[in-house]
Protein backbone atom coordinates (compact mmCIF):
# COMPACT_ATOMS: atom_id res chain seq x y z
CA UNK A 1 0.00 0.00 0.00
CA UNK A 2 1.35 3.40 -0.99
CA UNK A 3 1.67 5.99 1.74
CA UNK A 4 -0.35 9.19 1.23
CA UNK A 5 1.43 12.12 -0.34
CA UNK A 6 2.92 14.64 2.08
CA UNK A 7 2.39 18.32 1.33
CA UNK A 8 4.00 21.28 3.11
CA UNK A 9 2.61 24.80 2.66
CA UNK A 10 4.75 27.74 3.77
CA UNK A 11 2.86 30.94 4.56
CA UNK A 12 4.18 34.38 5.50
CA UNK A 13 1.36 36.66 6.64
CA UNK A 14 1.59 40.08 5.01
CA UNK A 15 -2.03 41.10 4.46
CA UNK A 16 -3.22 40.24 7.98
CA UNK A 17 -5.87 37.67 7.02
CA UNK A 18 -5.71 37.28 3.24
CA UNK A 19 -2.53 35.18 3.06
CA UNK A 20 -3.49 33.07 6.05
CA UNK A 21 -7.03 32.68 4.73
CA UNK A 22 -5.98 31.36 1.34
CA UNK A 23 -3.40 28.99 2.83
CA UNK A 24 -5.80 27.65 5.45
CA UNK A 25 -8.54 26.98 2.90
CA UNK A 26 -6.07 25.26 0.60
CA UNK A 27 -4.55 23.14 3.38
CA UNK A 28 -7.96 22.02 4.62
CA UNK A 29 -9.14 21.09 1.13
CA UNK A 30 -5.98 19.14 0.24
CA UNK A 31 -6.36 17.13 3.44
CA UNK A 32 -10.13 16.60 3.37
CA UNK A 33 -10.78 16.07 -0.34
CA UNK A 34 -7.49 14.66 -1.61
CA UNK A 35 -6.37 12.67 1.40
CA UNK A 36 -2.90 14.23 1.64
CA UNK A 37 -0.87 14.59 4.81
CA UNK A 38 -0.66 18.38 5.03
CA UNK A 39 1.50 20.63 7.18
CA UNK A 40 0.91 24.39 7.22
CA UNK A 41 4.04 26.23 8.34
CA UNK A 42 3.03 29.79 9.17
CA UNK A 43 4.70 32.81 10.79
CA UNK A 44 1.57 34.33 12.38
CA UNK A 45 -0.59 31.91 14.35
CA UNK A 46 -2.59 34.77 15.86
CA UNK A 47 -3.98 35.81 12.47
CA UNK A 48 -4.78 32.20 11.59
CA UNK A 49 -6.58 31.74 14.92
CA UNK A 50 -8.97 34.55 13.99
CA UNK A 51 -10.05 32.50 10.98
CA UNK A 52 -9.96 29.16 12.80
CA UNK A 53 -11.11 29.86 16.38
CA UNK A 54 -10.32 26.30 17.57
CA UNK A 55 -6.64 26.92 16.90
CA UNK A 56 -4.42 27.67 19.91
CA UNK A 57 -1.99 30.43 18.82
CA UNK A 58 0.37 29.51 21.68
CA UNK A 59 0.68 25.81 20.88
CA UNK A 60 3.98 24.65 19.35
CA UNK A 61 2.28 22.01 17.19
CA UNK A 62 -1.35 21.05 16.67
CA UNK A 63 -3.65 19.21 14.29
CA UNK A 64 -6.85 20.93 13.22
CA UNK A 65 -9.24 19.91 10.42
CA UNK A 66 -6.75 17.23 9.39
CA UNK A 67 -3.93 19.77 8.98
CA UNK A 68 -0.80 19.90 11.12
CA UNK A 69 -0.18 23.56 11.95
CA UNK A 70 3.46 24.42 12.67
CA UNK A 71 4.92 27.80 13.75
CA UNK A 72 7.59 28.87 11.29
CA UNK A 73 10.26 29.07 14.00
CA UNK A 74 9.71 25.33 14.50
CA UNK A 75 9.64 24.47 10.81
CA UNK A 76 10.41 20.82 10.06
CA UNK A 77 13.66 19.76 8.44
CA UNK A 78 12.28 16.78 6.52
CA UNK A 79 11.02 17.75 3.09
CA UNK A 80 7.55 16.71 1.94
CA UNK A 81 6.70 15.24 -1.47
CA UNK A 82 5.18 18.55 -2.54
CA UNK A 83 6.31 21.92 -1.19
CA UNK A 84 4.30 25.09 -1.73
CA UNK A 85 5.76 28.53 -1.14
CA UNK A 86 2.59 30.56 -0.92
CA UNK A 87 3.01 34.06 -2.32
CA UNK A 88 6.79 33.80 -2.25
CA UNK A 89 7.11 32.77 1.41
CA UNK A 90 10.66 31.29 1.39
CA UNK A 91 11.49 27.91 2.90
CA UNK A 92 14.14 27.98 5.67
CA UNK A 93 17.71 27.09 4.73
CA UNK A 94 17.64 23.84 6.72
CA UNK A 95 14.50 22.77 4.90
CA UNK A 96 16.04 23.74 1.56
CA UNK A 97 19.01 21.46 2.33
CA UNK A 98 16.60 18.59 2.96
CA UNK A 99 14.95 19.27 -0.40
CA UNK A 100 18.29 18.74 -2.12
CA UNK A 101 18.55 15.28 -0.57
CA UNK A 102 15.06 14.28 -1.71
CA UNK A 103 13.84 16.76 -4.35
CA UNK A 104 10.10 17.46 -4.04
CA UNK A 105 7.68 19.05 -6.46
CA UNK A 106 8.40 22.66 -5.49
CA UNK A 107 5.64 25.13 -6.32
CA UNK A 108 5.57 28.91 -6.01
CA UNK A 109 1.88 29.69 -5.59
CA UNK A 110 1.45 33.24 -6.83
CA UNK A 111 -1.13 35.88 -6.02
CA UNK A 112 -4.39 35.82 -7.94
CA UNK A 113 -4.58 38.04 -11.01
CA UNK A 114 -6.89 38.46 -14.00
CA UNK A 115 -4.08 39.90 -16.14
CA UNK A 116 -3.62 38.08 -19.44
CA UNK A 117 0.16 37.63 -19.07
CA UNK A 118 -0.18 35.11 -16.24
CA UNK A 119 -1.44 32.49 -18.67
CA UNK A 120 1.94 32.49 -20.42
CA UNK A 121 3.81 32.11 -17.11
CA UNK A 122 1.56 29.52 -15.51
CA UNK A 123 3.42 26.25 -14.82
CA UNK A 124 6.77 27.57 -16.08
CA UNK A 125 9.92 26.15 -14.42
CA UNK A 126 12.50 28.22 -12.56
CA UNK A 127 15.79 26.37 -11.90
CA UNK A 128 17.48 27.25 -8.62
CA UNK A 129 20.60 29.38 -9.28
CA UNK A 130 22.95 27.16 -7.25
CA UNK A 131 21.13 23.97 -6.23
CA UNK A 132 19.83 21.03 -8.31
CA UNK A 133 16.22 22.05 -7.72
CA UNK A 134 13.46 23.41 -9.92
CA UNK A 135 10.59 25.55 -8.75
CA UNK A 136 7.34 25.79 -10.72
CA UNK A 137 5.24 28.94 -10.96
CA UNK A 138 1.54 28.36 -10.38
CA UNK A 139 -0.91 31.18 -11.03
CA UNK A 140 -4.50 31.15 -9.76
CA UNK A 141 -6.80 32.81 -12.23
CA UNK A 142 -10.16 33.09 -13.95
CA UNK A 143 -9.60 31.08 -17.11
CA UNK A 144 -8.88 27.46 -17.99
CA UNK A 145 -5.34 28.53 -18.97
CA UNK A 146 -4.67 29.42 -15.32
CA UNK A 147 -4.66 27.50 -12.04
CA UNK A 148 -8.27 28.35 -11.20
CA UNK A 149 -9.75 29.44 -7.86
CA UNK A 150 -10.12 27.77 -4.49
CA UNK A 151 -13.49 26.03 -4.38
CA UNK A 152 -14.42 23.19 -2.06
CA UNK A 153 -16.40 20.33 -3.57
CA UNK A 154 -19.62 21.16 -1.71
CA UNK A 155 -19.36 24.94 -1.80
CA UNK A 156 -21.87 25.66 -4.58
CA UNK A 157 -24.42 23.14 -3.26
CA UNK A 158 -24.13 24.54 0.26
CA UNK A 159 -24.56 28.09 -1.02
CA UNK A 160 -27.62 27.17 -3.05
CA UNK A 161 -29.22 25.37 -0.11
CA UNK A 162 -28.62 28.39 2.16
CA UNK A 163 -29.91 30.97 -0.32
CA UNK A 164 -33.01 28.88 -1.12
CA UNK A 165 -34.34 29.09 2.46
CA UNK A 166 -35.97 32.50 3.16
CA UNK A 167 -35.17 32.49 6.89
CA UNK A 168 -31.66 31.06 6.66
CA UNK A 169 -29.85 34.38 6.89
CA UNK A 170 -32.00 35.62 9.79
CA UNK A 171 -31.30 32.34 11.58
CA UNK A 172 -27.58 32.71 10.94
CA UNK A 173 -27.55 36.24 12.37
CA UNK A 174 -29.57 35.14 15.37
CA UNK A 175 -26.96 32.45 16.00
CA UNK A 176 -24.34 35.20 16.09
CA UNK A 177 -26.38 37.16 18.63
CA UNK A 178 -27.43 39.76 16.05
CA UNK A 179 -30.86 41.18 15.24
CA UNK A 180 -31.84 40.48 11.60
CA UNK A 181 -32.50 43.53 9.39
CA UNK A 182 -35.89 44.63 8.16
CA UNK A 183 -37.09 42.41 5.29
CA UNK A 184 -37.11 45.33 2.83
CA UNK A 185 -33.62 46.55 3.75
CA UNK A 186 -30.69 46.38 1.35
CA UNK A 187 -28.24 44.08 3.13
CA UNK A 188 -24.55 44.94 2.79
CA UNK A 189 -21.36 43.53 4.30
CA UNK A 190 -18.44 45.94 4.61
CA UNK A 191 -14.89 44.54 4.72
CA UNK A 192 -11.88 46.45 3.44
CA UNK A 193 -8.80 48.47 4.21
CA UNK A 194 -8.89 51.91 5.80
CA UNK A 195 -10.56 54.23 3.30
CA UNK A 196 -11.35 57.96 3.60
CA UNK A 197 -14.00 57.48 0.91
CA UNK A 198 -16.17 55.71 3.45
CA UNK A 199 -17.45 59.07 4.69
CA UNK A 200 -19.04 59.72 1.29
CA UNK A 201 -20.49 56.22 1.16
CA UNK A 202 -22.07 56.50 4.60
CA UNK A 203 -23.52 59.87 3.66
CA UNK A 204 -25.09 58.39 0.52
CA UNK A 205 -26.47 55.41 2.43
CA UNK A 206 -27.94 57.59 5.16
CA UNK A 207 -29.96 59.48 2.51
CA UNK A 208 -31.13 56.36 0.69
CA UNK A 209 -34.81 56.02 -0.24
CA UNK A 210 -34.82 52.46 1.20
CA UNK A 211 -33.44 51.11 4.48
CA UNK A 212 -29.83 49.94 4.32
CA UNK A 213 -28.41 47.46 6.82
CA UNK A 214 -24.63 47.20 6.83
CA UNK A 215 -22.69 44.54 8.73
CA UNK A 216 -19.20 45.71 9.70
CA UNK A 217 -16.92 42.84 10.77
CA UNK A 218 -13.87 43.49 12.89
CA UNK A 219 -11.02 44.67 10.70
CA UNK A 220 -9.15 47.63 9.37
CA UNK A 221 -12.09 49.44 7.79
CA UNK A 222 -13.87 49.68 11.13
CA UNK A 223 -11.43 52.47 12.04
CA UNK A 224 -12.71 54.45 9.04
CA UNK A 225 -16.30 53.83 10.12
CA UNK A 226 -15.56 55.08 13.62
CA UNK A 227 -13.71 58.10 12.28
CA UNK A 228 -16.74 59.00 10.20
CA UNK A 229 -19.15 58.47 13.12
CA UNK A 230 -16.89 60.26 15.57
CA UNK A 231 -17.32 57.47 18.12
CA UNK A 232 -16.63 53.74 18.56
CA UNK A 233 -18.82 51.29 16.66
CA UNK A 234 -19.46 49.12 19.71
CA UNK A 235 -23.24 48.89 19.31
CA UNK A 236 -25.76 49.29 16.51
CA UNK A 237 -25.68 52.81 15.06
CA UNK A 238 -28.35 54.57 12.99
CA UNK A 239 -27.81 57.37 10.47
CA UNK A 240 -30.99 58.24 8.58
CA UNK A 241 -31.86 55.23 6.41
CA UNK A 242 -28.64 53.45 7.42
CA UNK A 243 -28.16 50.90 10.18
CA UNK A 244 -24.53 50.02 10.94
CA UNK A 245 -24.21 46.68 12.71
CA UNK A 246 -20.84 45.78 14.25
CA UNK A 247 -20.26 42.04 14.12
CA UNK A 248 -17.48 39.90 15.56
CA UNK A 249 -14.71 38.52 13.40
CA UNK A 250 -16.16 35.40 11.80
CA UNK A 251 -14.60 32.00 11.19
CA UNK A 252 -14.21 31.28 7.47
CA UNK A 253 -17.33 29.13 7.06
CA UNK A 254 -19.46 31.69 8.91
CA UNK A 255 -18.06 34.51 6.82
CA UNK A 256 -19.19 32.62 3.73
CA UNK A 257 -22.73 32.62 5.11
CA UNK A 258 -22.58 36.35 5.72
CA UNK A 259 -21.64 36.86 2.07
CA UNK A 260 -24.35 34.47 0.88
CA UNK A 261 -27.02 36.35 2.83
CA UNK A 262 -26.14 39.91 1.81
CA UNK A 263 -27.30 41.69 -1.34
CA UNK A 264 -23.92 43.40 -1.81
CA UNK A 265 -20.49 42.62 -0.41
CA UNK A 266 -17.57 45.00 -0.04
CA UNK A 267 -14.43 42.86 0.15
CA UNK A 268 -10.68 43.26 0.09
CA UNK A 269 -7.43 41.53 -0.82
CA UNK A 270 -7.72 37.99 -2.17
CA UNK A 271 -9.49 35.58 0.18
CA UNK A 272 -12.70 37.52 0.84
CA UNK A 273 -12.62 38.70 -2.78
CA UNK A 274 -12.79 35.13 -4.11
CA UNK A 275 -15.42 34.09 -1.57
CA UNK A 276 -17.59 37.04 -2.64
CA UNK A 277 -17.52 35.73 -6.19
CA UNK A 278 -18.66 32.30 -5.02
CA UNK A 279 -21.47 34.02 -3.10
CA UNK A 280 -22.98 34.94 -6.49
CA UNK A 281 -23.83 38.42 -5.23
CA UNK A 282 -22.69 41.84 -6.49
CA UNK A 283 -19.39 42.95 -5.01
CA UNK A 284 -17.08 45.92 -4.63
CA UNK A 285 -13.43 44.96 -4.35
CA UNK A 286 -10.88 46.99 -2.39
CA UNK A 287 -7.66 45.70 -3.92
CA UNK A 288 -4.47 45.64 -1.85
CA UNK A 289 -2.74 49.01 -2.49
CA UNK A 290 0.68 48.91 -4.18
CA UNK A 291 3.34 51.49 -4.94
CA UNK A 292 2.94 53.66 -8.05
CA UNK A 293 -0.74 52.63 -8.35
CA UNK A 294 0.25 49.23 -9.76
CA UNK A 295 -2.82 47.70 -8.14
CA UNK A 296 -5.13 49.75 -10.37
CA UNK A 297 -3.84 47.86 -13.42
CA UNK A 298 -4.79 44.59 -11.74
CA UNK A 299 -8.16 46.01 -10.75
CA UNK A 300 -8.87 47.06 -14.32
CA UNK A 301 -7.92 43.62 -15.62
CA UNK A 302 -10.40 41.97 -13.28
CA UNK A 303 -13.19 44.44 -14.00
CA UNK A 304 -12.74 43.93 -17.75
CA UNK A 305 -13.11 40.18 -17.29
CA UNK A 306 -15.83 40.38 -14.66
CA UNK A 307 -18.13 42.59 -16.71
CA UNK A 308 -17.91 40.62 -19.96
CA UNK A 309 -21.42 40.03 -21.30
CA UNK A 310 -23.01 42.64 -19.02
CA UNK A 311 -25.02 45.55 -20.46
CA UNK A 312 -23.10 48.82 -20.66
CA UNK A 313 -25.10 50.83 -18.08
CA UNK A 314 -24.69 48.47 -15.08
CA UNK A 315 -21.11 47.67 -16.12
CA UNK A 316 -20.22 51.38 -16.22
CA UNK A 317 -21.86 51.93 -12.83
CA UNK A 318 -19.85 49.11 -11.29
CA UNK A 319 -16.56 50.16 -12.89
CA UNK A 320 -17.00 53.79 -11.85
CA UNK A 321 -17.74 52.93 -8.21
CA UNK A 322 -14.81 50.50 -8.05
CA UNK A 323 -12.51 53.19 -9.42
CA UNK A 324 -13.68 55.86 -6.98
CA UNK A 325 -13.56 53.46 -4.01
CA UNK A 326 -10.02 52.33 -4.79
CA UNK A 327 -8.85 55.90 -5.34
CA UNK A 328 -10.39 56.93 -1.98
CA UNK A 329 -12.51 59.63 -3.60
CA UNK A 330 -15.34 60.08 -1.12
CA UNK A 331 -17.29 62.81 -2.92
CA UNK A 332 -17.23 60.77 -6.12
CA UNK A 333 -18.33 57.61 -4.29
CA UNK A 334 -21.26 59.53 -2.82
CA UNK A 335 -22.28 60.87 -6.22
CA UNK A 336 -21.97 57.48 -7.93
CA UNK A 337 -23.85 55.42 -5.35
CA UNK A 338 -27.44 56.06 -6.64
CA UNK A 339 -26.49 54.89 -10.14
CA UNK A 340 -24.78 51.81 -8.71
CA UNK A 341 -27.77 51.03 -6.48
CA UNK A 342 -30.10 51.22 -9.49
CA UNK A 343 -27.87 48.71 -11.28
CA UNK A 344 -27.93 46.14 -8.46
CA UNK A 345 -30.72 43.92 -9.92
CA UNK A 346 -28.80 43.46 -13.18
CA UNK A 347 -25.50 43.10 -11.30
CA UNK A 348 -27.08 40.38 -9.15
CA UNK A 349 -28.13 38.37 -12.20
CA UNK A 350 -24.69 38.81 -13.71
CA UNK A 351 -22.95 37.74 -10.50
CA UNK A 352 -24.75 34.40 -10.63
CA UNK A 353 -23.77 33.85 -14.25
CA UNK A 354 -20.16 34.74 -13.52
CA UNK A 355 -19.99 32.41 -10.51
CA UNK A 356 -21.45 29.55 -12.54
CA UNK A 357 -18.94 30.07 -15.35
CA UNK A 358 -16.10 29.90 -12.80
CA UNK A 359 -17.61 26.78 -11.21
CA UNK A 360 -17.49 25.05 -14.60
CA UNK A 361 -13.68 25.23 -14.46
CA UNK A 362 -11.40 22.97 -12.36
CA UNK A 363 -10.67 24.33 -8.89
CA UNK A 364 -7.23 25.38 -7.66
CA UNK A 365 -6.61 22.49 -5.24
CA UNK A 366 -7.51 19.91 -7.88
CA UNK A 367 -5.26 21.55 -10.45
CA UNK A 368 -2.38 21.64 -7.95
CA UNK A 369 -2.92 17.95 -7.21
CA UNK A 370 -2.93 17.00 -10.89
CA UNK A 371 0.18 19.10 -11.57
CA UNK A 372 2.06 17.55 -8.66
CA UNK A 373 1.09 14.06 -9.80
CA UNK A 374 2.45 14.77 -13.26
CA UNK A 375 5.83 15.81 -11.79
CA UNK A 376 6.27 13.18 -9.08
CA UNK A 377 8.58 10.35 -10.10
Amino acid sequence: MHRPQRWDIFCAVIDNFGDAGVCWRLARQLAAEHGYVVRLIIDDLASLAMLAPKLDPRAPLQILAGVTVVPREQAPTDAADVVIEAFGAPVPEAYLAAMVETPPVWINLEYLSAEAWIEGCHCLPSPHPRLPLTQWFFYPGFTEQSGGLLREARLIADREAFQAVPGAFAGFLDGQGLRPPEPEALKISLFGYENPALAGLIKAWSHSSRPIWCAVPEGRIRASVESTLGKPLSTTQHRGALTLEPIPFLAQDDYDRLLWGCDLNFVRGEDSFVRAQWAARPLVWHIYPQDEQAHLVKLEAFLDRYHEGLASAPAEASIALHDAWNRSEGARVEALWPQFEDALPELAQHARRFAQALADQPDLATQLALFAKSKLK
Side-chain angles (χ1 to χ4, degrees), residues 283-337:
L283 62 90
V284 177
W285 180 29
H286 198 180
I287 189 171
Y288 187 76
Q290 293 179 298
D291 294 335
E292 299 179 0
Q293 304 292 302
H295 58 290
L296 295 179
V297 176
K298 296 180 180 181
L299 175 66
E300 183 180 358
F302 169 71
L303 294 177
D304 286 347
R305 190 174 300 281
Y306 182 70
H307 293 111
E308 287 178 359
L310 181 62
S312 59
E316 289 169 2
S318 176
I319 291 169
L321 190 69
H322 270 92
D323 184 70
W325 183 242
N326 279 277
R327 293 180 186 275
S328 300
E329 297 175 349
R332 190 162 157 241
V333 166
E334 180 186 354
L336 289 169
W337 171 254

Side-chain angles (χ1 to χ4, degrees), residues 85-309:
E85 289 186 344
F87 318 125
V91 301
E93 285 297 321
Y95 192 97
L96 191 63
M99 289 169 57
V100 174
E101 296 299 320
T102 310
V105 179
W106 185 16
I107 297 171
N108 182 4
L109 181 62
E110 293 283 354
Y111 285 104
L112 171 64
S113 177
E115 295 170 287
W117 64 264
I118 70 163
E119 296 176 357
C121 298
H122 180 54
C123 292
L124 286 184
S126 176
H128 194 278
R130 57 182 176 83
L131 299 174
L133 294 169
T134 297
Q135 188 178 59
W136 302 88
F137 289 101
F138 210 90
Y139 284 86
F142 300 89
T143 70
E144 294 183 355
Q145 289 71 46
S146 71
L149 301 175
L150 279 173
R151 184 186 76 248
E152 298 83 1
R154 286 200 49 81
L155 177 63
I156 305 303
D158 288 346
R159 181 200 72 201
E160 290 297 284
F162 183 90
Q163 292 179 341
V165 178
F169 187 51
F172 164 73
L173 293 174
D174 184 66
Q176 300 293 324
L178 301 170
R179 181 180 299 174
E182 305 169 51
E184 68 273 18
L186 178 67
K187 300 179 291 294
I188 300 173
S189 74
L190 181 65
F191 190 57
Y193 305 107
E194 299 90 344
N195 196 335
L198 185 63
L201 194 58
I202 287 179
K203 188 175 180 182
W205 288 348
S206 66
H207 291 103
S208 174
S209 59
R210 64 183 292 193
I212 293 181
W213 177 89
C214 179
V216 188
E218 289 182 32
R220 291 169 59 176
I221 201 169
R222 190 176 285 192
S224 297
V225 174
E226 293 176 340
S227 175
T228 300
L229 295 176
K231 57 184 175 181
L233 184 64
S234 53
T235 59
T236 305
Q237 299 291 323
H238 300 281
R239 281 250 179 138
L242 172 63
T243 298
L244 288 165
E245 189 71 54
I247 65 174
F249 199 94
L250 299 173
Q252 284 187 323
D253 294 343
D254 286 335
Y255 182 67
D256 283 340
R257 294 179 180 90
L258 176 67
L259 297 177
W260 297 346
C262 286
D263 304 304
L264 170 64
N265 295 299
F266 282 72
V267 288
R268 77 178 208 200
E270 180 165 330
D271 185 48
S272 62
F273 167 53
V274 171
R275 303 315 280 194
Q277 291 170 65
W278 292 132
R281 302 294 200 203
L283 62 90
V284 177
W285 180 29
H286 198 180
I287 189 171
Y288 187 76
Q290 293 179 298
D291 294 335
E292 299 179 0
Q293 304 292 302
H295 58 290
L296 295 179
V297 176
K298 296 180 180 181
L299 175 66
E300 183 180 358
F302 169 71
L303 294 177
D304 286 347
R305 190 174 300 281
Y306 182 70
H307 293 111
E308 287 178 359

